[in-house]
Amino acid sequence: MSNVDLADKYDTPVFIVNEDMLRSNIRNLRNSFKHYYDNTELCLAYKANSLLAVAKIADSEGTYADVVSGGELYKTKVLNINPKKVIFNGNNKLR
């Protein structure tokens, strides 16, 4: 299907993600870090990614969720991300 056909079918913007490649990249990145730093966890920055499907795939690959706002935290609740795997990061946090 051409880009024009995709835009006609799904409207724009349309994001195309190769799930197998995404999963492979997550695994390769984790393995590369764990080779040198055994106590390493990967985090997906929700601010840098607004695609819930990508976040769900990343979660299924064992990544943590890095959030900095109530809206990003809400996404983790919508996706049923384990709260123990959510890092509420950033400045201006009272707790």
Side-chain angles (χ1 to χ4, degrees):
M1 183 176 281
S2 75
N3 292 344
V4 172
D5 291 339
L6 286 169
D8 287 343
K9 182 172 182 177
Y10 297 106
D11 206 3
T12 61
V14 61
F15 298 92
I16 302 166
V17 177
N18 181 321
E19 182 177 346
D20 292 335
M21 180 71 74
L22 176 62
R23 290 181 183 281
S24 176
N25 287 344
I26 291 170
R27 292 173 190 155
N28 288 337
L29 185 60
R30 176 184 297 108
N31 291 339
S32 294
F33 272 100
K34 291 239 181 212
H35 179 77
Y36 295 101
Y37 308 101
D38 188 49
N39 190 23
T40 298
E41 297 296 343
L42 292 182
C43 297
L44 177 70
Y46 276 50
K47 181 166 284 314
N49 171 62
S50 62
L51 305 175
L52 296 181
V54 168
K56 193 63 178 172
I57 292 167
D59 177 65
S60 75
E61 288 295 330
T63 67
Y64 280 55
D66 175 48
V67 302
V68 297
S69 70
E72 294 169 12
L73 184 60
Y74 176 75
K75 289 178 185 179
T76 67
K77 293 181 91 168
V78 167
L79 293 172
N80 200 31
I81 305 297
N82 181 342
K84 292 181 180 182
K85 292 177 52 184
V86 176
I87 299 171
F88 196 35
N89 198 3
N91 55 12
N92 289 327
K93 307 293 187 282
L94 296 176
R95 294 180 174 230

